[in-house]
Amino acid sequence: MNRDLFQGDQLPEFIFAPRTDPIYNAHGYLTKVPVDGIIPHLMTFSVPGETVVDMFAGSGMTAVAAKITGRNAVVSDISVLGKHIGEGYLADVDAPEIAKVGSNVVARARRRFKDLYQTDAAKGRQVEAIRTIWSFVYRCVSCAKEVVYFDMLKKNNWKTPSICPHCSQTFSKRSSTYICDVPVLIVVPGEDGKQIELPVTKSDKKRIKRAEAHPDLAVVPSKAIHSDREMYRRSALGKWDLKETKRFFSARNALALYYLWDELNALHDRETKKKLQFAFTAILPRASRRYQWSPQRPLNAATQTYYISPVYYEWNVFELFERKIRASIRADEEIRTRRAALGLSKKTKQEYVLCSAAKLKHLKDRSVDYVFTDPPFGSNLFYADMSLFHEAWLSQTTDDSEEAVIHTNGKRAEGANYRYEALLRAACEEAYRILKPGRFLSLVFGNSSGRVWSMVQQILLSTGFEPRPVHVGILDKGQRSVKGLTSGFEGVSTLDLIVTVKKPESPIAQQTPTNQRSIGDLIEDVVSEIDFHGHQTPSHVYLTVLKEAFEKQLPVDELHLAQIIDVLRKRNIQVDAKSGEFVTTA
Ligand SMILES: C[S@@+](CC[C@H](N)C(=O)[O-])C[C@H]1O[C@@H](n2cnc3c(N)ncnc32)[C@H](O)[C@@H]1O
């Protein structure tokens, strides 16, 4: 084994891995790390044929990166959905086979679905709707008359309406009563192939009614979302009567999904079935009422909440599924091409185990060559709650009793911080136990709270890892939310830090950091050295300070994005509200 490989300085400080590659896009999962953020780490801290572990594996990107780079992988998570997605990515099936079986499944499901997407809106032509736009109907608090929200938007040039069209009194969604949803527009292929929007006809409404009364709706897979779930309160599911997952689908889409799923379950070949079921779960958010409409273009589904916007799409499920099969084929091709480019011929094995990171019973002491992992960050994202939406279709749901999240309401809020820290500590101890001496753990942590970073610092030290990281990198996943950055004044950071520490060859005595400099001095140093040209944001500065603090072993408890913004303001460095990037006015 060539020890020279393991020099952190070969790894770039900034890794740009935008969320646009075909692998990333084949299936959604909360806070996925693109393979391009993982591969440089795998190549630096392990060699082909070795075994890597990720114990917070989510969608299994570490296993996919291992497959591409010729490493074995044993990844794990408590998430049933994560395992389903990871195994879907890893399933090996030839493209023509998936395409053929997929199109047969669609044909059979369509036969059972009959003509429910058909429309005669395109006068004289019977076509299938590509999508239907639906709107909430509210009751005005002043005149008690019903208003169709889409009509109000249209009348108001697509700006938020504030006047009731019936009584001209002030209108707001919040103060009005929600009544029901109605279809308002149908999108069909025009004669020249271009899509056209048409009004909904009487016979369209009849078909919708027929779907709503269909007996098969009773057997559509569904799971209750109970009121003790964190996301029940956060997404106000009680208020919107969204207490079970099938309520998120229109009757037509629930039926189309059910027929597809039923046909997929009847497939015999395990790998083909896995790949196509993966494509199926990938379309669920878009097939649901969570797919937000906007006058310019579809806004996608909000992945972190169960929000349904007052105007949304009912997309043709068969079309979505056929598109997703093609996207899965593209992801597989990408994996094969990248593997081939590295000239790796030896067969490797990647497996996904369902278990808590706190107890990796399936892994022996000192048996693993490298750990790359991305733990959950406390109180923002509730993976198990959000996964129920997909897991309703799988045979199992996630046991969230050991989920590393910080509950903020209900019984589980008590002692939540303590439990979170204990889980993270147990996971790091497991990483230490399974790693061979002299090998590395890389930890991704995308959040901006100094308190959490400080906790990670302490845990790594007390677990026995060498105190000075061998590498601290900044992972830039591209700018998803400029809004997040500008309102980043409240502490949202869109870049991730990846800290790599070494398990010493032999145990070392615990050390307390002796550095006497303050974090305030460090911020001043970093800000004065930064070149404010280029596309930098306050998040870059924040992570650079964190990186330096980790390297210098400075405690980061008090570090917060707001503190950095403050220093920047004092130096007259402003942030452009639109781009989120710096503007120097001095
Ligand atoms: C930040 S996500 C990982 C995402 C992953 N990097 C990807 O690319 O998809 C964190 C994961 O930790 C999992 N998790 C939470 N508590 C856990 C525990 N006690 N043991 C194992 N996994 C846990 C969640 O289910 C979630 O999938």
Side-chain angles (χ1 to χ4, degrees), residues 358-419:
K359 210 167 228 145
L360 304 174
K361 276 197 238 155
H362 55 288
L363 294 168
K364 293 201 185 99
D365 296 1
R366 302 160 167 242
S367 62
V368 165
D369 302 290
Y370 177 48
V371 177
F372 181 99
T373 199
D374 170 27
F377 161 58
S379 60
N380 283 349
L381 303 172
F382 290 83
Y383 293 89
D385 286 8
M386 292 312 300
S387 295
L388 265 183
F389 180 75
H390 293 82
E391 288 174 0
W393 297 84
L394 308 174
S395 53
Q396 215 183 342
T397 53
T398 297
D399 171 4
D400 66 346
S401 57
E402 282 214 45
E403 188 175 20
V405 284
I406 302 176
H407 288 271
T408 56
N409 70 86
K411 273 195 207 134
R412 294 211 273 180
E414 218 171 282
N417 278 308
Y418 170 78
R419 278 198 308 277

Side-chain angles (χ1 to χ4, degrees), residues 29-33 54-61 77-79 355-358 374-376 383 402-404 423:
Y29 190 75
L30 278 177
T31 63
K32 256 167 97 170
V33 175
D54 180 350
M55 65 275 273
F56 293 103
S59 59
M61 290 297 102
D77 198 293
I78 53 166
S79 172
C355 76
S356 171
D374 170 27
Y383 293 89
E402 282 214 45
E403 188 175 20
L423 260 165

